[in-house]
Amino acid sequence: MNVKTLCLGILSFGDATGYEIKKMSQDDRFSHFVDASFSAIYPALVRLTKEGLVSCRREKQSNRPDRKVYSITDAGRAAFAEALDAEPAPDKFKSEFLFLMMCGQMLSRERIARALDERILHFDGKITHLNDAKTQCDHPGGQFVIGYALAMYEAVRAYLMEHRAAALHLAAGDDLPDAAE
Amino acid sequence: MNVKTLCLGILSFGDATGYEIKKMSQDDRFSHFVDASFSAIYPALVRLTKEGLVSCRREKQSNRPDRKVYSITDAGRAAFAEALDAEPAPDKFKSEFLFLMMCGQMLSRERIARALDERILHFDGKITHLNDAKTQCDHPGGQFVIGYALAMYEAVRAYLMEHRAAALHLAAGDDLPDAAE
DNA sequence: GTTCACATGTAACAGGTTACATGATTGG
DNA sequence: CCAATCATGTAACCTGTTACATGTGAAC
């Protein structure tokens, strides 16, 4: 999926500026689709406008660039519906942490422990945050998405807790995964 | 993470040709790091050779291009160790399927059902496959990685099964998520 | 007889990123 | 006083993809 489709999707929930689209794309509800920087979003909105899929009205502000508020058009809705009708691409999951674990043989026990603990802490934060977000979210689609992410994070956190000891034995020079700890 | 580091990582497990690296990068043990096509791998190996991080020996073959077998050098191992020492970037999870669910309001119940069922089937296949791979894998790092992926897939599959009914109520025109089904 | 596995590579292109440019207001 | 938030945008760059180019041998 690309930034244009993301913009269309976000605008299908209501009007927004490029700045607001960027913020929403980082929101728990929308952060699982594509990463998008300002430099990707602004030109995307220009192109969408040229294609007639969104319209734009300027709102003047003092001391700031004009707000350019975008709305999805009927043509935009149609194009978006068509995009949704296509088979969704398979989920993509990429993890440098797993790469690290895969190469555990060439790491020290301490390095593995640090990576493991940081990751667990990271998931703790994520899970707490998502629980908050879920109670605050009143949109059913959003709740489904947040719940999905939550299920995933809780499962991997549990996996890390359960396999912490085994992971430490991946370390260089540790040839007896059954002994010690 | 980039293709160069992936190549270095794979070569740290043993010599390989570009062709073999590509195959390994799709293996259950290495598929969670970066996607890499031939057109990314071959030039990456050339650059790594120029930088002295890998070396290359040609093996002549009849009727086929020479096999170019790459080995990681000491400098390559050092560079790789350094790369592993850096903080791993946060995991990246991107899902067009979740985007679809997020936009459930503008889909038909049938469209949602189809997406849901396909996804569950997809996970079934993935889980079966990973279970096989895990029993066949004798490398502890690989087992950890496969186990992690397995935990994740099983959790999201279970989530989809549990929330199937709720997801169907995301559909356009379905305003009573508590009634029916 | 067609598809898959083997084996390498280039060229054109797409789709993003980072750094740069500009600048007021608010909160800690 | 410094950082963050608001607000838009361009230019140079990086990193990867798709399509192209070439060809054999084995399996189904």
Side-chain angles (χ1 to χ4, degrees), chain B residues 19 39 42 61 64 67-68:
Chain B
Y19 189 86
S39 305
Y42 288 127
Q61 300 197 125
R64 249 169 245 218
R67 272 166 65 84
K68 294 174 79 174

Side-chain angles (χ1 to χ4, degrees), chain A residues 5-95:
Chain A
T5 312
L6 174 74
C7 290
L8 236 33
I10 287 177
L11 290 174
S12 78
F13 284 87
D15 296 356
T17 65
Y19 190 85
E20 289 164 347
I21 288 174
K22 159 79 173 159
K23 270 199 312 180
M24 287 184 76
S25 78
Q26 293 169 318
D27 179 283
D28 303 292
R29 288 164 16 249
F30 289 104
S31 63
H32 310 289
F33 317 131
V34 266
D35 291 326
S37 62
F38 286 125
S39 306
I41 290 169
Y42 288 127
L45 288 169
V46 170
R47 260 177 296 146
L48 285 168
T49 307
K50 278 181 191 160
E51 292 166 20
L53 304 181
V54 306
S55 62
C56 176
R57 64 174 186 280
R58 299 182 97 94
E59 287 180 6
K60 284 199 181 146
Q61 300 195 125
S62 50
N63 305 325
R64 247 170 247 219
D66 292 359
R67 271 165 65 84
K68 294 174 77 173
V69 183
Y70 292 90
S71 312
I72 192 166
T73 62
D74 289 338
R77 267 178 211 283
F80 184 53
E82 205 172 328
L84 288 186
D85 200 43
E87 278 309 291
D91 292 1
K92 218 165 250 187
F93 168 71
K94 300 290 156 184
S95 170

Side-chain angles (χ1 to χ4, degrees), chain B residues 88-153:
Chain B
D91 292 0
K92 219 164 249 185
F93 168 71
K94 300 290 156 184
S95 170
E96 292 196 4
F97 166 75
L98 278 188
F99 187 64
L100 206 69
M101 292 298 118
M102 183 69 202
C103 301
Q105 308 162 334
M106 49 199 88
L107 300 174
S108 69
R109 194 189 177 84
E110 291 70 35
R111 177 74 189 94
I112 295 179
R114 203 178 82 214
L116 231 34
D117 293 338
E118 261 160 21
R119 190 79 359 182
I120 291 169
L121 230 56
H122 174 255
F123 285 136
D124 284 343
K126 216 62 175 157
I127 290 167
T128 306
H129 177 79
L130 283 171
N131 273 314
D132 279 5
K134 201 180 177 188
T135 51
Q136 276 160 26
C137 175
D138 58 349
H139 174 254
Q143 288 199 326
F144 182 87
V145 168
I146 295 173
Y148 186 104
L150 209 42
M152 209 174 71
Y153 284 123

Side-chain angles (χ1 to χ4, degrees), chain B:
Chain B
M1 224 194 23
N2 54 28
V3 174
K4 268 167 67 182
T5 313
L6 174 75
C7 289
L8 235 33
I10 288 178
L11 290 174
S12 78
F13 285 87
D15 295 356
T17 66
Y19 189 86
E20 288 163 349
I21 288 173
K22 158 78 173 161
K23 270 200 312 181
M24 286 184 77
S25 78
Q26 293 169 318
D27 178 285
D28 303 292
R29 292 171 3 256
F30 289 105
S31 63
H32 310 289
F33 316 130
V34 267
D35 291 326
S37 61
F38 286 125
S39 305
I41 290 170
Y42 288 127
L45 288 168
V46 171
R47 258 176 296 146
L48 286 169
T49 307
K50 279 181 192 161
E51 292 165 21
L53 304 181
V54 305
S55 63
C56 176
R57 65 173 184 279
R58 299 183 97 95
E59 288 181 3
K60 284 199 181 147
Q61 300 197 125
S62 50
N63 305 324
R64 249 169 245 218
D66 292 358
R67 272 166 65 84
K68 294 174 79 174
V69 182
Y70 292 90
S71 310
I72 191 166
T73 62
D74 289 337
R77 265 178 213 285
F80 185 52
E82 205 173 327
L84 288 186
D85 200 43
E87 279 310 289
D91 292 0
K92 219 164 249 185
F93 168 71
K94 300 290 156 184
S95 170
E96 292 196 4
F97 166 75
L98 278 188
F99 187 64
L100 206 69
M101 292 298 118
M102 183 69 202
C103 301
Q105 308 162 334
M106 49 199 88
L107 300 174
S108 69
R109 194 189 177 84
E110 291 70 35
R111 177 74 189 94
I112 295 179
R114 203 178 82 214
L116 231 34
D117 293 338
E118 261 160 21
R119 190 79 359 182
I120 291 169
L121 230 56
H122 174 255
F123 285 136
D124 284 343
K126 216 62 175 157
I127 290 167
T128 306
H129 177 79
L130 283 171
N131 273 314
D132 279 5
K134 201 180 177 188
T135 51
Q136 276 160 26
C137 175
D138 58 349
H139 174 254
Q143 288 199 326
F144 182 87
V145 168
I146 295 173
Y148 186 104
L150 209 42
M152 209 174 71
Y153 284 123
E154 279 169 350
V156 293
R157 187 190 183 282
Y159 182 85
L160 290 188
M161 295 298 278
E162 271 171 50
H163 295 82
R164 195 177 187 286
L168 290 174
H169 287 300
L170 297 174
D174 195 325
D175 293 328
L176 298 164
D178 296 311
E181 177 68 357

